[in-house]
Amino acid sequence: MLQSMKLFALFIISFFVYTCSYGQEVFTIKHNYDKKFFYISLSDIIPTIENEAEEKAFSMIPDNYRYNVQADQERYVLLPQKNKKNLLKYTKLSEQDNLYLYDFVNNKLITYKIKDLKGIASLNPYEFFEFAIHTDEETGENTYKEWTYFDYELGFQIPQTETYITEENYFENFFVAVGKTSPFELGKVQPILWKEVDNKTFPLSKTSQYNKDYIQNNNKTNIVKTYLYTLNDYNYFLYHFNIPQNRESQYDRGYYLIAVVKDNQLVSEELITTGGNSGYLPLNLQPRTQFDVCNHPIHQWAGELFKNSPPVYFGFAYAGDGCEWISKVELSDDYSNRISINCDNRH
């Protein structure tokens, strides 16, 4: 009884805590397992719930999706209101907050009140119902694993009446944010169109000691090509270092070095390495023909994506493990200028 009262008090107090401002936290749009609808997973920002009693008392999963799993049961469930309220509790959001879908390719911002969206719990692709059933060899009785919030991708379903999101554009065109106000600066990111330049146009001696050491330690790697893009007084240089095919492995496929220069001063640099389940996205090269524009999406973008924030650039590599990222144009230690995109890519 005392434990129940403590949990009830925790539940009540939590709903009077101010909602969280997520600033530059961005999310991707996801397609459900059966390709029936699109949704946003907020699981990356849900804190770990270590108290088992609390997790069960304030579950984000309906009871019939926690126990007695059936083989023909849907891999997702729309959340009843009490479960949606618990989801809001753990993400520190309110029904009056908004969900913002920014189609930066077409400069279109779509805003939804969270109160108007359906909560969704979609079973993670790596979990299967048959894994949850255990048959006792002596009695033949089935017992079931208890699914918890961690087995599901939890968030909000995009209204199925919407047609602007498609199988072709949902992953490439959108950034998503939640909160009281939109963090996005509209219409100020541009597609990068790279122009090939001489390798000596920007001397690598201007880069940081970290990158000089990295290049030195990979001295059998040669610059294949150097590219330049200019936007708003910023010069973006991209050096493509390639490893000879006889040395290339799944963990080592060469790398990019991006150097951003303004007023002849280095303001940002970044090494982008690939290997394993990650790789490079194709570069957008000048000149692009009408055929190219229609049939091959632009991957690299630069400009002002967030309000009152330095410019950014993104779209250089895909991540088989983990999530992709947005890089801020500002001088900082390697990788610390990255904003990780919440994509809920668990394995």
Side-chain angles (χ1 to χ4, degrees):
M1 180 66 177
L2 181 60
Q3 179 67 15
S4 297
M5 291 178 65
K6 288 181 178 178
L7 289 172
F8 180 74
L10 174 64
F11 179 76
I12 294 298
I13 292 171
S14 67
F15 279 99
F16 287 92
V17 175
Y18 63 87
T19 56
C20 183
S21 175
Y22 282 105
Q24 295 177 352
E25 288 273 8
V26 293
F27 304 82
T28 58
I29 296 175
K30 302 188 68 113
H31 215 176
N32 89 304
Y33 187 83
D34 297 320
K35 308 296 184 186
K36 292 181 179 179
F37 56 84
F38 296 99
Y39 66 103
I40 311 300
S41 172
L42 302 181
S43 289
D44 284 341
I45 62 171
I46 295 175
T48 301
I49 305 171
E50 297 180 349
N51 186 311
E52 183 177 349
E54 177 190 341
E55 196 277 327
K56 288 186 177 181
F58 310 126
S59 176
M60 291 171 273
I61 308 299
D63 285 346
N64 60 325
Y65 274 73
R66 290 177 61 92
Y67 312 100
N68 301 320
V69 176
Q70 302 300 315
D72 59 352
Q73 185 169 310
E74 287 277 15
R75 293 184 60 88
Y76 71 93
V77 60
L78 297 178
L79 300 183
Q81 189 61 21
K82 71 172 185 178
N83 301 103
K84 181 182 177 182
K85 284 185 176 180
N86 291 341
L87 172 61
L88 295 178
K89 165 187 181 294
Y90 286 113
T91 54
K92 295 184 179 180
L93 294 168
S94 81
E95 294 273 13
Q96 298 308 310
D97 287 333
N98 299 315
L99 185 143
Y100 305 95
L101 303 183
Y102 182 34
D103 177 356
F104 57 87
V105 174
N106 297 297
N107 191 33
K108 181 178 181 181
L109 182 70
I110 304 99
T111 303
Y112 297 104
K113 281 289 185 188
I114 285 178
K115 67 181 178 64
D116 297 329
L117 295 175
K118 296 177 180 178
I120 188 81
S122 183
L123 193 63
N124 183 266
Y126 293 92
E127 297 285 355
F128 294 92
F129 290 124
E130 55 266 31
F131 296 168
I133 303 172
H134 174 72
T135 303
D136 188 286
E137 294 183 357
E138 294 184 1
T139 66
E141 182 179 353
N142 287 336
T143 57
Y144 300 88
K145 169 187 175 182
E146 294 184 10
W147 302 105
T148 72
Y149 77 99
F150 191 73
D151 297 301
Y152 288 86
E153 298 177 356
L154 291 149
F156 303 111
Q157 185 185 52
I158 302 301
Q160 291 181 274
T161 54
E162 302 290 7
T163 58
Y164 57 85
I165 304 175
T166 68
E167 178 70 31
E168 288 73 32
N169 72 11
Y170 78 97
F171 193 77
E172 289 277 353
N173 286 33
F174 293 89
F175 288 130
V176 184
V178 291
K180 293 188 178 302
T181 59
S182 168
F184 300 119
E185 186 75 67
L186 303 187
K188 293 189 177 181
V189 289
Q190 303 293 328
I192 296 177
L193 296 179
W194 297 106
K195 178 182 178 181
E196 186 175 351
V197 295
D198 188 273
N199 289 346
K200 297 178 181 179
T201 302
F202 175 74
L204 291 175
S205 59
K206 287 190 176 183
T207 59
S208 67
Q209 190 61 48
Y210 177 92
N211 287 336
K212 290 175 185 174
D213 291 343
Y214 189 94
I215 295 168
Q216 181 64 34
N217 293 335
N218 291 268
N219 56 15
K220 291 184 179 179
T221 303
N222 299 314
I223 301 176
V224 175
K225 290 181 179 179
T226 301
Y227 302 94
L228 170 66
Y229 173 70
T230 301
L231 177 66
N232 297 335
D233 299 324
Y234 288 95
N235 289 319
Y236 296 78
F237 291 91
L238 184 147
Y239 299 89
H240 183 189
F241 291 81
N242 193 37
I243 291 178
Q245 284 190 335
N246 62 351
R247 292 204 308 117
E248 185 175 304
S249 72
Q250 71 176 106
Y251 300 108
D252 197 359
R253 299 174 184 163
Y255 54 94
Y256 287 157
L257 173 62
I258 299 172
V260 185
V261 176
K262 184 178 183 181
D263 298 329
N264 206 32
Q265 297 294 317
L266 180 70
V267 295
S268 181
E269 59 180 335
E270 181 177 10
L271 274 170
I272 299 178
T273 60
T274 61
N277 292 325
S278 66
Y280 300 119
L281 290 170
L283 296 178
N284 318 313
L285 302 178
Q286 296 186 35
R288 282 175 67 88
T289 66
Q290 186 64 32
F291 175 82
D292 291 329
V293 173
C294 292
N295 292 276
H296 301 283
I298 291 177
H299 297 289
Q300 292 86 47
W301 295 76
E304 298 175 35
L305 178 64
F306 299 109
K307 298 174 182 176
N308 304 314
S309 184
V312 301
Y313 55 90
F314 56 89
F316 292 85
Y318 64 86
D321 299 314
C323 300
E324 296 170 12
W325 66 91
I326 300 164
S327 299
K328 291 186 288 186
V329 175
E330 56 184 23
L331 191 59
S332 58
D333 295 335
D334 197 54
Y335 302 128
S336 65
N337 64 331
R338 290 183 176 183
I339 301 170
S340 181
I341 300 169
N342 296 294
C343 69
D344 197 354
N345 185 17
R346 67 184 93 170
H347 286 67

